[in-house]
Amino acid sequence: MCGINGILHHDPSRPVEARVIERMRAAQVHRGPDDSGAWIHQNVGFGFNRLSIIDLSGGHQPMLSEDGAICLVFNGEIYNFQELRAELSQQGHRFRTKSDTEVILCAWQQWGEQCVTKLRGMFAFVLWDERQRILFGARDRFGIKPLYYWAGEQSFAFASELKSLLEFPDVPRKLDGTALEQFLRHRYVLAPRTILEGVRKIPPAHSFVVANGRFRLQRYWSLPEGPARKVSERDAVEEFRHLTDETMRLHLISDVPLGAFLSGGLDSSAVVAWMKRIGTADIKTFTVGYDSPESELPYAKRVAEHVGTDHHALVLTPERFRDLLPKIVWHMDEPVGDEASLPLYFLSEFAKSKVSVVLSGEGSDEIFLGYEAYPWHTEISKRNAIPGLPLAARLAYALFPNRFQSLRTVLGVPLETRYQGLGQVFRTTELPEVFDPPGDFDRSISALYDACKRKEAAERMSFVDMNSWLPDDLLVKADRMTMAASLELRVPFLDHRIVEFAWQLPLSLKMDGYNVKHILKRSVADMLPQEIIQREKMGFPVPLKSWFREELTSYAQETLLSQGGVTDFLKRDGLRSVCEAHQTQDRSRHIYALLVLDQWCRHFLHPAQSVK
């Protein structure tokens, strides 16, 4: 993994300052402590930090083409680079290194903007083509690797992390009111918006061109359209196994030690089992837990013993949470109120002492319909289709409000309203407690529903989560927490060929009633114990409910109510009310999200910034 940054001044006579490129580069040095570099050519400048994984001696960046006309900075891994290298060699291209970086350079020369469609992997890259005088860049199909940008009237700047981009003096530090609303509702900000006004993220599966002072963004990949394939369960399992065998082998290419995160859930356990299936020797696995009922340590140990891994476990305490939260928020870049960032940060540091690359199971729940919300809302949709039932439910609630309270929020309510994604924090009725939105209700989630109208309810929810929760929460957390430890994370379930395969499967092969991830369970039936395959999903749980009622009660309230943080933007009485209400009802998710926002404001904003 790496960190990239750069500046393009639209005026060719305005030179890029080396000291600004260096400040931007230094701000994200944790992304690549093994090597660094800079390249400045008049009004264009790039910076780079490298975490060396493949071709340790030959992958230095910024990398120039053989004739010096093209310069590239690249963050990620191209898993099919050897295949592309062979194809490009047949076209007459000569290679000086064994790195996947040089493959991108030659691919640009061969295919131009279409080169990105050839790449199989996780990536964010930007190149300058002197002959055409254009800046071209792209981000991978699911947003595994980050890419922020600021498109000003005089300049264009980009970076892997927001903190790096903010080292460019032209970038303003002003909170975006709509983004703040998104964060409070979902605990993250949806691309292309960021928490800062005017700063944007390149959306997943998009490339861009900057030429003659103009910025152009285009999508280069989408999920396959059309009806589901007609395929038997037996054939689907066989095809999935063959495809995953190939994908896992590609994801295990590395010139440095490699291991896997293992929570004891189905997804990470399947990854570890598959590593064993294709013959990986000496698998090192890493897990984290607590001295509490939420801990998954026993399940991870069970899988490690079954597969035969070199297993390592770490136990966390609430004191470590309080002391490290500011550092975690700084590394996260944008406020992301996902409490699993805490264990993942410690787990990444823990794993880095043994390996430089880890695999994990991110993406499986979204593509194979693994969340319990999917079958539950599917059942509600079926009931809402029964003539007269929604009306009867509303009547029952009107007559007996205490007895039928739960009916009010689901029966007769459209899917688009009752399911806004997995990360929801403040509901519509709760938001005024702490914040008055600056304008109309944000419709980002509604727009995603509009893009998949013809799909079944579960697949529509999956589509929403794949385009919001996955890239803007899960993968942000995964990238930043591992990069904080200079550890590379690979996510084989998000290989685009696996995702395309899953999207085109009949719904019944992914979700059979309340049996979620059916095809994945069938595919690993002979690799894992049934108790692991069938157990309920937990993820990386954090015992925040008890912590905020006991050890961290005073810390939470005193932090949120002190000057210089969220009190500049949110209602002080509402903040106090949320903290006090947690003693009788679970508001731990609200408190954690507010603490993250508070620490983010203290790190990245000047005091008393106004919200637009």
Side-chain angles (χ1 to χ4, degrees), residues 256-260 284 286 350-358 486-487:
V256 295
L258 183 148
K284 290 180 171 58
F286 305 89
F350 186 50
K352 179 62 177 180
S353 65
K354 302 287 184 181
V355 299
S356 294
V357 179
V358 289
S486 302
L487 180 72

Side-chain angles (χ1 to χ4, degrees), residues 2-46:
C2 306
I4 63 176
N5 62 274
I7 299 169
L8 167 65
H9 294 313
H10 301 317
D11 180 356
S13 66
R14 180 185 174 186
V16 168
E17 297 182 73
R19 62 184 181 86
V20 177
I21 291 292
E22 173 57 23
R23 286 206 309 266
M24 294 174 71
R25 187 202 64 76
Q28 52 188 14
V29 68
H30 49 276
R31 296 190 69 89
D34 298 332
D35 189 17
S36 65
W39 172 85
I40 295 177
H41 178 67
Q42 299 172 352
N43 62 318
V44 188
F46 291 165

Side-chain angles (χ1 to χ4, degrees), residues 441-569:
F441 179 79
D442 180 65
R443 287 187 45 81
S444 299
I445 297 295
S446 298
L448 293 175
Y449 273 114
D450 290 342
C452 58
K453 289 180 178 179
R454 298 180 181 179
K455 289 291 184 178
E456 298 291 337
E459 292 170 313
R460 297 185 75 199
M461 288 184 280
S462 165
F463 182 87
V464 166
D465 289 331
M466 272 195 281
N467 288 277
S468 56
W469 157 263
L470 178 64
D472 295 319
D473 183 315
L474 292 187
L475 294 176
V476 172
K477 173 188 67 182
D479 174 81
R480 303 307 192 282
M481 294 299 93
T482 52
M483 282 286 91
S486 302
L487 180 72
E488 176 175 303
L489 179 72
R490 298 179 179 179
V491 285
F493 285 129
L494 288 179
D495 179 276
H496 75 275
R497 295 186 182 178
I498 287 183
V499 177
E500 289 173 349
F501 164 83
W503 185 249
Q504 293 176 296
L505 284 177
L507 178 59
S508 61
L509 292 184
K510 291 179 284 188
M511 190 180 80
D512 183 12
Y514 279 83
N515 179 31
V516 296
K517 286 192 283 198
H518 179 66
I519 188 72
L520 179 60
K521 292 175 179 178
R522 289 284 292 109
S523 298
V524 298
D526 59 347
M527 302 185 210
L528 292 169
Q530 280 299 307
E531 66 193 84
I532 298 299
I533 293 174
Q534 299 301 333
R535 66 177 288 249
E536 293 184 4
K537 179 178 178 60
M538 291 180 68
F540 272 144
V542 183
L544 290 181
K545 181 178 178 180
S546 59
W547 286 0
F548 287 144
R549 285 179 178 172
E550 298 167 9
E551 298 97 328
L552 300 179
T553 302
S554 298
Y555 161 78
Q557 185 158 328
E558 290 171 5
T559 300
L560 291 178
L561 296 181
S562 62
Q563 294 295 322
V566 291
T567 54
D568 291 339
F569 309 103

Side-chain angles (χ1 to χ4, degrees), residues 67-125:
D67 61 4
I70 305 168
C71 185
L72 169 73
V73 281
F74 158 57
N75 169 31
E77 300 288 352
I78 306 302
Y79 299 120
N80 65 333
F81 79 98
Q82 293 173 335
E83 173 188 333
L84 289 174
R85 179 190 176 101
E87 182 179 353
L88 288 163
S89 295
Q90 291 179 349
Q91 299 292 332
H93 293 271
R94 296 185 301 173
F95 291 86
R96 297 160 291 160
T97 73
K98 297 179 181 179
S99 70
D100 51 355
T101 306
E102 192 175 13
V103 168
I104 299 176
L105 269 176
C106 294
W108 167 258
Q109 291 174 310
Q110 183 67 34
W111 298 301
E113 292 185 31
Q114 292 304 307
C115 69
V116 69
T117 65
K118 299 277 190 175
L119 306 180
R120 183 177 180 182
M122 54 180 183
F123 53 84
F125 70 85

